[in-house]
């Protein structure tokens, strides 16, 4: 345990704790959380009382502020504790609930006949999971569940718009889900299908070369039509870097909603773009019953694995397959987990002793469809990973400032608070201040924000602007004309994205055939591959991994990124935000220059 950690924890132990009242088990109930269903969801039917549901109960983490202090200290290159990451046990001590909260929730569960052997607790005991019939959940939460249908996708889920708890229990419970959450975790990608945009059959420099005016680097002209590993190495100044791997380095890629990484496709991709990696693969880990169906290669999973691993080879790689959110089927009465899958993945990975040092995720959803209480608890999980030395990378979304409708002209962008106000729609988990969010660029001379789809970006309505953005973001806001988009975004919110990378016309292999794909879901794994290489630089010098990246990125690391100066991110019937000099909510601080960054780290 680090000296300052011991001091803070000892100090905490001697400070008198507030006396917490235990709930009267038969006391009055009061609404704990209420939500309006998002646009496009309609109440459809009533689920059978014996349909089972897996409830997750989040208990308060009274010492999270201390964990956050540690996170920023060990992630700040200007702090004397930089790189002194916490252990799994130290993090668990800091997120553990107060014993009185444990007692209060235990008594409440026992009053409904739920025994200890019927529940599962997280290692820190801050989460409790139990699988019970809908009828019992309705009694415990003084609510009524319904089957809700999404008019756009046809998906059915079991949700309620309000739940209650005994008054005395409110202070001992942060959140219970699935209750009011209507989110639909989805990949951020846009697949090219036009015949005139078929992938090139030959990858070479036959078209000559182009010089990027911003960096002076020479790049194959063919990279304007097709992005390969070679293109990214050239564009981001990684040509000639001799890669190796220490036994301590690692990279992870997450897969959700039935996206499976295909081994045969990976080998074909390696043969074409990374011949020295042929024969290598990834470690597969199933989360919550996630499958490894090699008969169903996924565009998203293949994209993420092929580029993240292709750039970072030979660094040890892991692919996580997390079971998604299955639709409600009234004729099959089996336990059904309808939580957002990233929370299941977080539960699993936080419980591991050895976690990949860089993790890329190319999925997310509209922030407003995730209840704020749940978003904050999930975000605290990412903080735990950062405190342990893990760099967590998320794509920023593909629909500009809009609501997920790919046609900016028809986006509605209404709030879900019952007021139907028009507002920009930020994306979660990219808005979590403890992850690094990645926007997308295209072209070589010059490199600009993507134009065929729009790099997600904007400002969180849940999370305030973190300290590491206190200089960069206000500078952008000062460039906006007075009154521009007044009321459409939160000027005090966490700005997204942090950085960017190429995100269009990536050549991948799917089902044995080449394909072209684009989206911020391409930018995130590509960027993660370079972050893994930067960790390799540090580890080979006997230094700890980078961990939570943002304090570095917004300080000494900012000179390692190339500013993008052109583009915008349309949405909600507007042109969205413009790309400007310095940080902007389209491309962040810009794209990486690996040659500079490896000297800075």
């Amino acid at each position: 345990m680090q000296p300052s950690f011991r001091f803070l924890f000892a100090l905490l132990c001697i400070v008198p704790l507030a006396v917490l009242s235990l709930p009267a088990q038969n006391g009055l109930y009061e609404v704990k959380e209420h939500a309006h269903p998002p646009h496009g969801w309609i109440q459809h039917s009533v689920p059978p009382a014996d349909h089972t549901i897996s409830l997750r109960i989040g208990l308060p983490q009274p010492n999270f502020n201390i964990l956050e202090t540690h996170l920023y200290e060990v992630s700040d290159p200007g702090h004397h504790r930089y790189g002194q990451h916490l252990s799994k046990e130290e993090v668990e001590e800091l997120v553990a609930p107060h014993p009185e909260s444990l007692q209060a929730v235990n008594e409440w569960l026992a009053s409904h006949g739920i025994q200890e052997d019927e529940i599962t607790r997280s290692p820190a005991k801050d989460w409790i999971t139990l699988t019970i019939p809908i009828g019992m959940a309705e009694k415990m939460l003084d609510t009524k569940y319904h089957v809700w249908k999404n008019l756009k996708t046809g998906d059915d889920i079991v949700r309620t718009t309000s739940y209650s708890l005994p008054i005395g229990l409110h202070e001992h419970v942060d959140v219970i889900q699935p209750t009011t959450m209507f989110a639909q975790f989805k990949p951020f990608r846009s697949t090219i299908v036009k015949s005139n945009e078929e992938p090139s059959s030959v990858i070479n420099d036959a078209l000559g070369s182009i010089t990027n005016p911003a960096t002076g680097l020479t790049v194959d002209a063919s990279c304007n039509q097709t992005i390969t590993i070679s293109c990214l190495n050239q564009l981001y100044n990684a040509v000639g870097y001799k890669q190796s791997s220490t036994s301590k380095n690692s990279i992870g890629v997450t897969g959700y909603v039935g996206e499976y990484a295909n081994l045969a496709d990976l080998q074909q991709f390696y043969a074409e773009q990374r011949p020295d990696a042929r024969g290598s693969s990834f470690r597969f880990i199933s989360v919550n019953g996630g499958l490894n169906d090699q008969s169903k290669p996924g565009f998203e999973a293949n994209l993420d694995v092929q580029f993240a691993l292709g750039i970072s080879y030979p660094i040890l790689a892991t692919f996580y397959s997390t079971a998604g959110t299955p639709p409600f089927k009234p004729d099959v009465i089996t336990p059904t987990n309808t939580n957002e899958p990233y929370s299941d993945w977080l539960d699993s990975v936080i419980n591991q002793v050895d976690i990949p040092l860089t993790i890329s995720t190319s999925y997310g959803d509209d922030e407003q469809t995730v209840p704020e209480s749940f978003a904050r608890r999930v975000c605290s999980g990412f903080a735990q990973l950062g405190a342990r030395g893990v760099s967590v990378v998320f794509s920023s979304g593909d629909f500009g400032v809009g609501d997920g409708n790919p046609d900016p002209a028809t986006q509605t962008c209404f709030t879900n608070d019952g007021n139907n106000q028009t507002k920009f729609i930020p994306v979660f988990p990219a808005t979590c201040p403890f992850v690094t969010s990645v926007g997308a660029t295209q072209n070589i001379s010059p490199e600009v924000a993507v134009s065929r789809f729009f790099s997600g970006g904007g400002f969180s309505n849940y999370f305030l602007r973190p300290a590491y953005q206190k200089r960069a973001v206000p500078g952008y806001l000062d460039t906006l004309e007075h009154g521009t988009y007044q009321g459409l975004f939160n000027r005090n919110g966490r700005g997204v994205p942090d950085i960017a990378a190429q995100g269009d016309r990536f050549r991948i292999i799917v089902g044995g055939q080449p394909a072209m794909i684009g989206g911020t879901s391409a930018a995130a794994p590509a960027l993660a591959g370079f972050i893994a290489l930067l960790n390799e630089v540090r580890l080979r010098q006997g230094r700890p991994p980078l961990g939570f990246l943002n304090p570095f990125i917004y300080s000494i690391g900012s000179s390692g990124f190339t500013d993008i100066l052109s583009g915008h991110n349309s949405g909600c019937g507007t042109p969205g935000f413009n790309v400007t000099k310095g940080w902007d909510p389209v491309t962040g601080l810009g794209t990486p220059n690996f040659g500079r960054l490896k000297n800075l780290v």
Side-chain angles (χ1 to χ4, degrees):
M1 187 177 293
Q2 302 296 337
S4 59
F5 182 89
R6 288 197 298 266
F7 171 76
L8 283 171
F9 196 75
L11 180 63
L12 175 71
C13 292
I14 64 175
V15 174
L17 293 165
V19 177
L20 304 175
S21 58
L22 296 180
Q25 300 304 338
N26 297 315
L28 294 176
Y29 271 67
E30 188 175 85
V31 173
K32 174 67 175 176
E33 191 164 56
H34 172 77
H36 292 270
H39 297 280
W41 289 96
I42 61 169
Q43 193 177 110
H44 179 260
S45 58
V46 176
D50 55 354
H51 173 74
T52 54
I53 192 168
S54 293
L55 287 182
R56 289 166 46 82
I57 304 170
L59 279 63
Q61 301 167 329
N63 302 323
F64 180 77
N65 62 320
I66 300 177
L67 172 69
E68 189 173 10
T69 297
H70 282 292
L71 172 65
Y72 281 117
E73 288 181 355
V74 302
S75 306
D76 180 0
H79 198 279
H80 71 275
R81 291 187 62 212
Y82 182 52
Q84 298 178 23
H85 302 114
L86 304 185
S87 68
K88 176 177 182 289
E89 293 74 21
E90 287 171 338
V91 169
E92 288 171 1
E93 285 182 349
L94 289 172
V95 298
H98 191 275
E100 290 194 21
S101 292
L102 285 169
Q103 182 182 348
V105 174
N106 289 345
E107 290 182 1
W108 173 62
L109 294 175
S111 72
H112 289 279
I114 297 173
Q115 304 300 314
E116 181 66 26
D117 60 359
E118 297 177 275
I119 65 177
T120 301
R121 299 183 189 272
S122 64
K125 296 183 171 58
D126 56 329
W127 283 103
I128 293 175
T129 304
L130 63 154
T131 300
I132 56 176
I134 284 287
M136 178 176 287
E138 291 177 335
K139 181 179 179 181
M140 293 174 63
L141 303 178
D142 190 26
T143 190
K144 182 65 179 176
Y145 278 89
H146 287 88
V147 179
W148 292 79
K149 179 176 287 291
N150 187 297
L151 295 176
K152 181 179 179 181
T153 66
D155 290 344
D156 296 326
I157 59 175
V158 178
R159 291 293 187 269
T160 181
T161 56
S162 175
Y163 71 93
S164 301
L165 292 172
I167 294 175
L169 194 62
H170 280 230
E171 61 186 319
H172 301 294
V173 173
D174 269 350
V175 61
I176 300 179
Q177 291 293 348
T179 49
T180 59
M181 184 167 61
F182 287 78
Q184 289 190 296
F185 209 47
K186 56 183 177 288
F188 291 134
R189 57 172 171 78
S190 175
T191 305
I192 299 175
V193 296
K194 294 181 180 179
S195 60
N196 63 347
E197 297 187 39
E198 287 294 320
S200 169
S201 60
V202 179
I203 301 176
N204 56 38
D205 58 0
L207 297 179
S209 61
I210 298 175
T211 299
N212 184 326
T215 62
L217 296 171
T218 299
V219 183
D220 291 344
S222 62
C223 297
N224 259 333
Q225 285 77 45
T226 305
I227 291 294
T228 64
I229 291 175
S230 176
C231 291
L232 295 174
N233 283 334
Q234 294 173 60
L235 185 60
Y236 297 142
N237 198 18
V239 175
Y241 174 69
K242 188 176 181 180
Q243 303 174 74
S244 63
S245 177
T246 68
S247 60
K248 296 180 180 180
N249 202 4
S250 52
I251 185 171
V253 173
T254 61
Y256 301 95
V257 295
E259 282 281 341
Y260 310 117
N262 187 269
L263 296 171
D265 287 344
L266 179 62
Q267 293 306 313
Q268 185 175 337
F269 176 84
Y270 280 161
E272 179 183 87
Q273 296 195 35
R274 193 68 203 263
D276 59 327
R278 284 180 295 184
S280 68
S281 186
F282 52 81
R283 178 179 58 164
F284 173 83
I285 294 181
S286 171
V287 177
N288 193 37
L291 302 178
N292 185 19
D293 192 340
Q294 292 298 297
S295 68
K296 298 178 180 179
F299 277 85
E300 182 62 54
N302 275 9
L303 164 65
D304 296 348
V305 164
Q306 289 171 18
F307 272 86
L309 276 57
I311 291 170
S312 63
Y313 174 81
I315 294 170
L316 177 67
T318 299
F319 178 74
Y320 295 92
S321 176
T322 303
T325 55
F328 169 72
K329 295 183 180 180
D331 57 330
V332 180
I333 309 303
T334 56
T336 302
N337 186 351
T338 53
N339 278 300
E340 282 301 292
Y342 51 75
S343 60
D344 293 319
W345 175 82
L346 260 177
D347 285 350
S348 174
V349 76
I350 287 174
N351 193 32
Q352 297 172 11
V353 175
D354 296 316
I355 307 174
L357 296 181
T358 306
I359 298 176
S360 175
T361 299
S362 295
Y363 301 73
D365 202 2
D366 298 344
E367 184 184 68
Q368 66 174 358
T369 65
V370 182
E372 183 173 351
S373 58
F374 189 70
R376 290 190 177 279
R377 283 304 297 260
V378 170
C379 192
S380 76
F382 294 127
Q384 294 175 52
L385 293 180
R388 291 175 60 181
V390 179
S391 301
V392 182
V393 174
F394 269 88
S395 54
S396 67
D398 285 355
F399 306 108
V401 295
D403 65 351
N405 186 334
D407 181 1
T410 60
Q411 290 174 343
T412 53
C413 303
F414 291 139
T415 61
N416 285 338
D417 57 6
N419 296 321
N420 286 334
Q421 294 177 315
T422 300
K423 279 195 174 182
F424 293 160
I425 309 296
V427 166
F428 182 81
T431 55
C432 170
F434 307 126
V435 306
T436 300
S437 56
V438 184
T441 60
Q442 66 179 26
N443 298 342
I444 306 304
S445 179
E447 189 173 10
V448 301
V450 290
S451 60
R452 190 172 50 81
F453 57 91
F454 298 94
S455 179
F459 300 85
S460 173
N461 291 313
Y462 291 170
F463 303 100
L464 293 176
R465 181 160 56 247
Y468 56 76
Q469 288 188 326
K470 67 180 180 180
R471 293 183 180 178
V473 173
Y476 174 80
L477 295 175
D478 289 342
T479 69
L480 295 178
E481 293 185 11
H482 181 70
T484 300
Y485 300 147
Q486 185 71 32
L488 293 182
F489 71 98
N490 177 18
R491 293 179 66 93
N492 298 314
R494 183 267 203 266
V496 174
D498 300 299
I499 49 180
Q502 285 280 316
D504 201 10
R505 303 175 184 273
F506 276 50
R507 179 183 172 92
I508 64 171
I509 303 297
V510 181
Q513 298 298 317
M516 295 273 270
I517 191 169
T520 53
S521 61
L527 193 285
F530 287 110
I531 297 301
L533 295 182
L534 292 176
N535 270 336
E536 189 64 36
V537 172
R538 289 182 60 83
L539 292 170
R540 288 170 63 182
Q541 295 176 349
R543 299 179 180 182
L546 288 165
F548 177 41
L549 295 168
N550 295 4
F552 165 79
I553 288 172
Y554 284 90
S555 57
I556 64 173
S558 62
S559 62
F561 292 87
T562 302
D563 199 6
I564 304 302
L565 301 175
S566 178
H568 61 94
N569 59 353
S570 297
C572 303
T574 75
F577 295 109
N578 286 326
V579 174
T580 64
K581 184 177 181 180
W583 182 90
D584 58 69
V586 186
T587 60
L589 292 173
T591 56
N593 184 315
F594 179 79
R596 292 180 186 171
L597 286 168
K598 70 181 179 66
N599 293 326
L600 293 171
V601 300

